[in-house]
Amino acid sequence: MSLKDLHTRLKSRFVVMIILLVSTLRLTAQDLNSNSPFEQYFDKALTYQHQNKIDDALKVLKKAAQIAEEKENFKNLLDTHHRFALLYLELDQPETTEFYWDRASVLLKEIEYPYADAVHKFIEARLLFKAENKFQARQKLEEARKLNNDKNLLNNILLLEADIFAVLENYDEATINYNALLVNSDEKERAFLATKANLGLANLYLQQDNPIESTKHAEAALELSNKHGYYREILGANNFLTKVYENLGEYQKSLTYNKNMTFLKDSLFNIEKVKLENRTAEKIKFNQQSKTIKEQEAKIEELNQSANRSEITAILASAFLTIISILAVSLFRNNQIKLKTNDLLQTKNSELETARDAAVMAMEAKTNFLSTVTHELRTPLYAVTGLTHLLLEENPEEHQKEHLKSLKFSGDYLLNFINDILQINKIDADKLEPLSIEFKLKKVLADVVDSLQQNAKDNNTVIVLDYDNNIPLNLLGDPLKLSQIIMNLVGNALKFTKDGKVEVIARLKEKNDDNLRVYFEITDTGIGISEEQQKNIFDSFEQGSVQINREYGGTGLGLTIVKSLLGLFESKIHLRSELGKGSSFFFELDLKSDENSLDEVPFELTVEDFDFDGLHILIVEDNKINQVITKKMLSKKGITCDIANNGNEAIDAAQANAYDAILMDIHMPGISGTEATVQIRKFNPDIPIIALTAISMDDSLDEFYAAGCNAVVTKPFKPEVFYQKIGENVFKTNVNDGV
């Protein structure tokens, strides 16, 4: 080989490297500035596609492609190629689909775009399925599912997977997928996906010799497609029902659907329309292919011109490549040394990570188990407490009233136990955070003392509040958690004190500007705690001994909750006690004073202030027993109501009717109460929505309010709280005007 040939080859390689480098930098810069609102084009094209307005859909996508090319927005251009490919799939033109798929492949090599990678594999799966390569298609769907979690894409993957299962006669898996799509919450294609799922189920049940279920789903698909103008699906459903009813011998129905189908073919799918759509499709395809050829010719011309540059460029290229090679070898050697040096550390890290993962999995398993158990117990407990309340209001016999009161006490006891377990579980899982809001400490302590006076009288015990008036009136902190701490400590003291005294003490220990430290102590003259028992008294389910547990009852979780809640405030609980002489629990808490706040006269409404007669409310609840109980509780106040069994029914009912409020269950199959609330808020932002939920570990009150709920009532609820929340939210405008 001559020196000139060598220089020529080196020069060509150098030029190619520079072009690739510049292209990469250019793509990166464009990616950072890509914020064009292309979604409206894609959504419009999708709507036209479902309504069989193919000509309009193609024009919209062509416009999107032009804008993307003018702005050099490669991600949006890539998305447009994929939309063209999917549209041509609907037109049954696999060759044109592959043309746009290939163009997208070229762009994917240049930019990193996980969503486009997922769509690319989804289109490949559809092409494979069309070519009857079912197992390869399923593999591509799995790859697409792992690349991106876009809801619309995942729902379409679910639909194609169901179609594959149906062809493979795996009816159980196909049925699961189709049923999941019947209750999908897809913001772009909710109704269309449900229509396709109904058609899929209709075919499945027909293959399994179940024409009743088959026609039910086919008619559901026809109803949805008529409502939304899905003309291809209208035609398909009419054709399907024509054949099925003919086979069933119901010729009148078969004739009706056959007439519908004939009318559709004559009006919607006439020859002129198909010709127009094909001309538009072919024109766009021809223009795109011509443009691609011109781009390739321009690149070839550019490379030919670069081949005529001076020999100096070739020599510089040779030197540049030599330096790069030397650097690459040096980097490789350094990397090998680092790999050998870090090998032992990596091994040890892997062992530690394995041990850590095992511990985390064990903790998560415990947390999930307790969360599931406490949540599942709340639902039947709602039936117990609700029915007990209703029976007590129906003037039972005296001997029945005693039994019902015992049942109510047992239900309340079980609810407190469940709440304690859920509280500890939330603390262990770092689900609780301390608040910083304005409150009056003296009122918080007085409310706790007042609420426990009846318990004290039952034990012939006196509760005394010893409060230091040097403590500022208005403070900043978390009154709810502080109230729970004091409530547990005083309740624990009352449990073990008879014919004695319980004292609640609050003292100002330090004050520095707005920062202060308050000392709290709860003392009692009860049975006391031995030194041996004090070691474990703050552990879960510990009450000192089995004998104490049997005599005094309880779960032994109160002090555990106190210890955990104080940990949130970086404080500790301390204990002094002596057998037979009582106990003293004490701790210190850092708070802030809020001297600038104004005292407000409290204004509280009671249930009697509300006149519920004539209200009309929607109950969204999937549990039949809960529906009956809630409806009866409302009817006792003169409230009429409708029932929605799931989120989809709730959305439809809220659109079709006027309600004074909606009682929304959160945990339901299909669309959850949170998702249903979001959908309702899109067309009705003002209606009061009250969440009724057996709240679990993963539930967040902030999430409920962010979705659009006005209030949250946890199941099982006290009737007075239930009525109060309804009154506050339905009549809040009138109430506010009167304050």
Side-chain angles (χ1 to χ4, degrees):
M1 181 185 295
S2 66
L3 180 62
K4 184 176 180 180
D5 292 336
L6 177 62
H7 284 172
T8 301
R9 288 194 175 188
L10 290 172
K11 178 179 67 175
S12 299
R13 291 182 181 178
F14 177 75
V15 171
V16 171
M17 288 175 62
I18 295 299
I19 291 172
L20 289 174
L21 180 61
V22 171
S23 299
T24 303
L25 291 173
R26 191 176 177 188
L27 283 169
T28 304
Q30 290 165 348
D31 181 53
L32 291 172
N33 296 313
S34 175
N35 289 313
S36 300
F38 274 74
E39 282 302 314
Q40 57 183 332
Y41 288 108
F42 298 151
D43 291 346
K44 188 179 293 185
L46 192 62
T47 301
Y48 285 145
Q49 177 180 327
H50 291 336
Q51 295 176 348
N52 199 41
K53 299 176 181 178
I54 304 300
D55 187 51
D56 293 329
L58 288 167
K59 290 177 181 177
V60 170
L61 290 179
K62 182 182 178 183
K63 179 67 174 177
Q66 289 173 347
I67 296 173
E69 288 174 347
E70 289 170 3
K71 295 186 177 182
E72 295 186 283
N73 190 324
F74 294 101
K75 280 191 175 182
N76 287 331
L77 183 59
L78 180 54
D79 288 336
T80 308
H81 288 333
H82 280 152
R83 299 283 177 167
F84 268 121
L86 289 168
L87 185 55
Y88 278 105
L89 262 176
E90 292 296 320
L91 293 175
D92 198 21
Q93 295 186 24
E95 291 182 0
T96 309
T97 299
E98 290 178 8
F99 168 78
Y100 282 102
W101 188 83
D102 288 335
R103 287 184 60 80
S105 299
V106 174
L107 286 174
L108 278 172
K109 292 177 182 177
E110 301 294 333
I111 60 177
E112 185 177 347
Y113 190 8
Y115 170 74
D117 281 329
V119 176
H120 204 63
K121 291 188 181 295
F122 171 70
I123 295 171
E124 186 177 2
R126 288 192 59 175
L127 288 168
L128 287 167
F129 180 54
K130 193 170 186 65
E132 298 186 353
N133 295 321
K134 296 173 281 292
F135 294 101
Q136 292 180 38
R138 277 205 62 200
Q139 182 180 351
K140 290 298 175 184
L141 287 180
E142 285 301 318
E143 293 175 10
R145 185 180 278 122
K146 293 175 182 177
L147 286 170
N148 195 265
N149 61 353
D150 179 78
K151 183 183 286 188
N152 179 255
L153 176 60
L154 292 177
N155 282 331
N156 277 282
I157 289 173
L158 203 64
L159 179 60
L160 180 56
E161 193 175 52
D163 293 339
I164 295 172
F165 283 138
V167 173
L168 294 173
E169 297 184 356
N170 190 345
Y171 298 134
D172 290 340
E173 295 291 340
T175 302
I176 291 172
N177 282 20
Y178 285 136
N179 280 324
L181 290 169
L182 287 182
V183 293
N184 77 86
S185 59
D186 196 290
E187 293 184 0
K188 296 182 179 180
E189 296 182 279
R190 180 168 76 96
F192 181 77
L193 290 167
T195 302
K196 300 294 283 187
N198 272 308
L199 287 172
L201 286 169
N203 280 298
L204 274 186
Y205 283 118
L206 188 62
Q207 292 175 40
Q208 298 175 73
D209 296 325
N210 189 346
I212 303 301
E213 284 295 315
S214 176
T215 54
K216 184 180 78 173
H217 284 287
E219 287 172 350
L222 183 58
E223 182 181 353
L224 276 171
S225 53
N226 275 324
K227 181 178 179 181
H228 296 279
Y230 303 148
Y231 295 125
R232 290 176 183 271
E233 285 64 40
I234 295 172
L235 184 65
N238 276 293
N239 186 35
F240 182 90
L241 289 166
T242 298
K243 294 178 181 178
V244 173
Y245 279 121
E246 183 180 0
N247 292 335
L248 290 173
E250 298 187 32
Y251 300 114
Q252 187 59 45
K253 286 186 177 181
S254 176
L255 180 61
T256 299
Y257 289 114
N258 184 263
K259 287 180 178 178
N260 292 342
M261 185 173 60
T262 303
F263 174 78
L264 285 170
K265 286 182 177 180
D266 290 342
S267 60
L268 300 175
F269 296 96
N270 55 69
I271 296 173
E272 289 303 319
K273 187 175 188 300
V274 172
K275 284 182 178 179
L276 177 62
E277 290 171 353
N278 285 333
R279 282 199 300 271
T280 304
E282 289 298 326
K283 182 179 179 182
I284 292 174
K285 173 185 172 183
F286 175 77
N287 291 340
Q288 195 68 58
Q289 289 176 340
S290 299
K291 187 175 181 181
T292 302
I293 292 170
K294 289 180 181 178
E295 289 173 354
Q296 295 297 327
E297 289 175 348
K299 287 183 179 179
I300 293 170
E301 181 65 25
E302 184 180 351
L303 290 173
N304 287 336
Q305 290 177 0
S306 66
N308 297 323
R309 292 180 182 176
S310 66
E311 291 296 322
I312 296 175
T313 304
I315 294 171
L316 289 174
S318 178
F320 176 75
L321 291 174
T322 302
I323 294 169
I324 291 295
S325 300
I326 294 170
L327 287 174
V329 172
S330 176
L331 287 171
F332 176 75
R333 288 178 178 174
N334 288 337
N335 189 51
Q336 290 296 107
I337 294 169
K338 286 182 180 179
L339 288 174
K340 290 178 181 178
T341 305
N342 293 331
D343 184 57
L344 181 60
L345 286 174
Q346 289 176 351
T347 302
K348 292 297 180 183
N349 282 338
S350 297
E351 293 174 358
L352 289 172
E353 286 176 359
T354 301
R356 181 202 63 195
D357 292 343
V360 170
M361 287 177 65
M363 178 61 73
E364 287 180 351
K366 185 203 83 169
T367 300
N368 291 334
F369 171 74
L370 289 175
S371 175
T372 302
V373 168
T374 53
H375 177 264
E376 290 302 319
L377 284 174
R378 281 174 175 270
T379 299
L381 190 57
Y382 172 64
V384 172
T385 56
L387 288 171
T388 305
H389 168 76
L390 292 174
L391 290 172
L392 282 169
E393 285 195 341
E394 293 177 354
N395 299 319
E397 301 289 339
E398 285 301 320
H399 68 280
Q400 293 174 330
K401 189 179 296 184
E402 181 180 350
H403 296 319
L404 289 172
K405 287 182 178 178
S406 298
L407 181 61
K408 185 178 185 299
F409 172 82
S410 299
D412 292 339
Y413 177 86
L414 180 58
L415 177 60
N416 290 331
F417 179 46
I418 292 170
N419 288 339
D420 285 346
I421 293 176
L422 186 61
Q423 183 82 334
I424 292 174
N425 215 20
K426 282 191 173 184
I427 295 171
D428 290 343
D430 293 330
K431 296 279 186 177
L432 289 182
E433 293 182 1
L435 303 174
S436 180
I437 59 176
E438 181 191 341
F439 73 101
K440 293 177 175 61
L441 178 59
K442 189 172 185 178
K443 184 178 186 305
V444 169
L445 298 179
D447 287 345
V448 171
V449 170
D450 291 343
S451 67
L452 294 173
Q453 286 292 352
Q454 185 59 46
N455 292 19
K457 289 179 182 178
D458 293 341
N459 285 351
N460 196 29
T461 298
V462 177
I463 308 179
V464 177
L465 174 60
D466 183 359
Y467 187 81
D468 185 354
N469 288 319
N470 290 320
I471 300 173
L473 179 63
N474 298 305
L475 301 176
L476 291 175
D478 194 329
L480 296 178
K481 293 184 181 63
L482 177 58
S483 175
Q484 190 172 5
I485 291 168
I486 302 298
M487 180 80 74
N488 277 312
L489 289 174
V490 176
N492 186 70
L494 288 172
K495 185 190 301 182
F496 299 107
T497 304
K498 293 184 179 179
D499 303 319
K501 177 182 178 182
V502 173
E503 191 170 5
V504 181
I505 301 169
R507 292 272 183 273
L508 179 62
K509 188 171 183 180
E510 295 179 21
K511 188 175 189 304
N512 185 11
D513 295 330
D514 291 340
N515 299 311
L516 58 143
R517 175 166 289 190
V518 180
Y519 172 83
F520 296 90
E521 184 176 354
I522 287 82
T523 65
D524 65 68
T525 59
I527 63 175
I529 307 168
S530 68
E531 290 186 12
E532 185 65 27
Q533 293 166 349
Q534 290 179 32
K535 296 177 182 178
N536 303 318
I537 198 68
F538 294 106
D539 294 340
S540 298
F541 305 103
E542 287 289 343
Q543 289 188 291
S545 68
V546 176
Q547 289 79 8
I548 290 175
N549 178 269
R550 288 175 178 171
E551 181 177 353
Y552 294 95
T555 61
L557 292 174
L559 293 179
T560 305
I561 292 173
V562 168
K563 178 183 176 182
S564 300
L565 287 175
L566 284 174
L568 296 175
F569 302 99
E570 298 181 354
S571 179
K572 292 183 179 179
I573 185 74
H574 302 280
L575 166 64
R576 287 191 305 265
S577 185
E578 187 177 344
L579 276 176
K581 295 186 178 180
S583 304
S584 176
F585 293 87
F586 55 95
F587 63 92
E588 295 178 0
L589 211 57
D590 291 327
L591 298 167
K592 285 185 176 291
S593 63
D594 188 20
E595 299 296 346
N596 295 325
S597 64
L598 298 174
D599 292 341
E600 294 181 359
V601 178
F603 177 77
E604 296 181 359
L605 290 171
T606 60
V607 175
E608 287 71 21
D609 292 324
F610 301 119
D611 181 10
F612 295 106
D613 193 39
L615 293 184
H616 189 48
I617 288 177
L618 175 64
I619 301 173
V620 187
E621 171 67 66
D622 63 301
N623 186 287
K624 299 297 181 184
I625 296 176
N626 291 353
Q627 290 176 1
V628 173
I629 294 171
T630 306
K631 186 173 183 179
K632 193 159 187 177
M633 290 178 69
L634 293 174
S635 65
K636 282 184 174 294
K637 297 292 182 181
I639 302 172
T640 60
C641 54
D642 293 339
I643 303 291
N645 295 291
N646 54 56
N648 275 320
E649 288 186 15
I651 296 169
D652 294 338
Q655 277 183 316
N657 304 289
Y659 297 103
D660 294 296
I662 297 176
L663 303 180
M664 180 71 71
D665 185 28
I666 295 298
H667 298 281
M668 294 182 291
I671 294 180
S672 70
T674 307
E675 292 176 345
T677 300
V678 171
Q679 296 296 325
I680 291 172
R681 284 297 180 221
K682 291 180 179 179
F683 58 83
N684 192 338
D686 300 321
I687 186 171
I689 300 179
I690 301 171
L692 303 181
T693 175
I695 198 165
S696 67
M697 271 288 298
D698 295 326
D699 288 331
S700 167
L701 297 183
D702 291 338
E703 180 185 349
F704 300 156
Y705 290 123
C709 294
N710 300 91
V712 180
V713 178
T714 57
K715 299 177 186 175
F717 46 75
K718 294 182 179 180
E720 56 270 21
V721 174
F722 177 59
Y723 296 133
Q724 182 78 7
K725 288 292 183 182
I726 294 174
E728 286 176 352
N729 286 278
V730 172
F731 301 109
K732 61 184 178 182
T733 303
N734 295 331
V735 169
N736 290 337
D737 292 341
V739 173

